[in-house]
Amino acid sequence: MKKKLLASLFVMGLLTVCISIGYAQVGTTTANFKKAGGSGAQFLKIGIGARAMSMGGAFSAVADDISALYWNPAGVAFLEGLNMTFEYNQWFADIQHSYAGFTFPLSDNYSLGLSIISLSSGDIEITTIDAPDGTGSTYSANDIAIGTTLSGRLTDQFAFGVSMKYVQNSIFDVSATLLLFDIGTIYTLTEEGIRLGLSVSNLGTEGQFSGQSLTTLVDRTSETGGLTARPLDATLNNTPYSAPLSFRGGISYNFFRNMNDQSLIIGGDFIHLSDNPEKFNVGTEYMWNNLIAVRGGYQFGYDELGLTVGGGINFMTESFNGSFDYAYADAGRLGSINRIGLRLKF
């Protein structure tokens, strides 16, 4: 028991060090904010999971389903059996945002997870000064993140998780890649029914675009002798960029923790971002008879995002259990966001 306690303290200390190093480098505060728009790979900040997002994204301490792969990898350690999820999100301007995840146990205390996030703009017509209505050609922007997660329980109350992600951003014929890491911990206060969650996301390398559109030929005609030399291949400079580093600290509480057929969960998340002021999310979920769920939440500190609502229906078969979830988010002047998700457990 002492060894497990020491290991738990070590992991929490390691997470604290990672957070301190990351934010010592970015150095952002609400009062003196200078890095807005300073990060790339912005699609990594789009929350996943219709259940989690209908609760306002207040999920780093809840993290009790497969969407923990995104919110807090430590939550994967508490999942039993094989779990799968598929989600579709209709984002702004007809942008398609999709997610798939899979987790399975390695042993009694350790689990492995795989995930993929995809964002696509679809075809966008190319316009020029001479052809403002379109040239007849199109381009697209596509982003993808492929991740693998290892999560473990050091005690019945404490779990940790680490994710490694390969991220690619591409637009037209140029692209950039990044290698990123997420780290998370969850501590469960069993008697009180309280869970505490900490996670830091998108620690890693910088990306820099390369591709055909960034190459050019430089004319080397002599100004004095009128002689021409062979054109020189050159590459246009572009500035490297980092991913949006984020820290989440959350708390959740289940009021009906001793009831088998009902639950009432509330959660709250504080989010510190490297390229935006701090945010705060709150959310709740009521589950009746292990069948129907009603959810709601609110996202504070965002320009357009705010109210979120949704629900879910659980179903059972002889081979597996599952749930179908829906989330609606009010996006102010940008309209609304609709998510649907399917979760399966074998």
Side-chain angles (χ1 to χ4, degrees):
M1 180 61 70
K2 289 184 178 180
K3 290 182 178 180
K4 289 185 177 181
L5 179 59
L6 290 174
S8 301
L9 294 174
F10 171 76
V11 173
M12 294 183 70
L14 179 61
L15 180 60
T16 302
V17 170
C18 291
I19 293 169
S20 300
I21 293 175
Y23 286 99
Q25 293 175 344
V26 298
T28 60
T29 64
T30 302
N32 184 24
F33 198 80
K34 300 180 180 179
K35 291 184 177 285
S39 298
Q42 291 292 304
F43 79 107
L44 296 174
K45 295 196 299 188
I46 301 175
I48 66 96
R51 178 187 176 217
M53 290 310 301
S54 63
M55 296 174 65
F59 213 71
S60 66
V62 179
D64 58 357
D65 66 33
I66 191 171
S67 65
L69 287 167
Y70 175 86
W71 298 100
N72 188 339
V76 175
F78 296 104
L79 302 182
E80 298 178 352
L82 303 178
N83 294 267
M84 301 176 65
T85 186
F86 305 94
E87 180 186 327
Y88 175 78
N89 173 18
Q90 183 66 51
W91 199 241
F92 312 131
D94 295 328
I95 295 174
Q96 315 296 315
H97 180 243
S98 303
Y99 177 82
F102 176 67
T103 68
F104 58 94
L106 294 175
S107 66
D108 290 340
N109 294 322
Y110 291 89
S111 296
L112 188 69
L114 304 171
S115 63
I116 181 169
I117 303 174
S118 173
L119 184 97
S120 176
S121 67
D123 291 335
I124 303 173
E125 192 168 22
I126 297 176
T127 60
T128 65
I129 295 176
D130 296 328
D133 296 326
T135 63
S137 299
T138 61
Y139 75 97
S140 63
N142 298 281
D143 298 323
I144 191 170
I146 301 173
T148 180
T149 298
L150 176 65
S151 184
R153 285 179 293 166
L154 299 182
T155 69
D156 291 338
Q157 290 78 40
F158 182 82
F160 75 95
V162 179
S163 296
M164 180 176 67
K165 300 181 292 188
Y166 169 83
V167 178
Q168 182 182 70
N169 303 135
S170 62
I171 179 169
F172 194 38
D173 59 0
V174 299
S175 62
T177 60
L178 305 91
L179 184 63
L180 305 175
F181 295 88
D182 301 343
I183 305 172
T185 62
I186 290 179
Y187 183 72
T188 304
L189 302 177
T190 306
E191 294 181 0
E192 294 81 5
I194 298 174
R195 285 163 64 103
L196 306 176
L198 294 173
S199 68
V200 58
S201 301
N202 305 325
L203 285 164
T205 63
E206 291 185 328
Q208 187 169 17
F209 282 100
S210 62
Q212 183 62 39
S213 292
L214 295 175
T215 62
T216 186
L217 292 176
V218 178
D219 187 8
R220 296 192 293 169
T221 302
S222 172
E223 295 181 359
T224 57
L227 300 176
T228 60
R230 186 177 180 179
L232 180 66
D233 290 329
T235 301
L236 300 176
N237 288 330
N238 65 99
T239 304
Y241 63 91
S242 60
L245 184 65
S246 66
F247 163 73
R248 287 180 175 270
I251 184 171
S252 68
Y253 180 73
N254 186 351
F255 284 91
F256 300 157
R257 60 191 180 278
N258 295 321
M259 301 182 66
N260 295 325
D261 59 346
Q262 296 187 70
S263 68
L264 177 60
I265 298 173
I266 61 169
D269 272 19
F270 170 82
I271 306 102
H272 187 96
L273 299 163
S274 62
D275 62 350
N276 262 275
E278 287 79 6
K279 319 291 184 185
F280 183 69
N281 300 342
V282 295
T284 184
E285 173 193 69
Y286 173 71
M287 176 70 72
W288 174 79
N289 203 31
N290 285 328
L291 180 63
I292 299 175
V294 179
R295 307 174 182 118
Y298 201 90
Q299 300 172 296
F300 296 91
Y302 299 81
D303 291 334
E304 300 297 334
L305 300 178
L307 178 68
T308 63
V309 295
I313 299 177
N314 293 342
F315 58 87
M316 293 181 291
T317 71
E318 295 181 356
S319 302
F320 61 89
N321 300 335
S323 65
F324 179 81
D325 302 297
Y326 168 78
Y328 167 89
D330 179 14
R333 290 168 290 185
L334 298 175
S336 60
I337 303 169
N338 295 278
R339 292 177 171 88
I340 56 174
L342 176 68
R343 290 179 287 137
L344 302 174
K345 180 180 179 180
F346 297 87

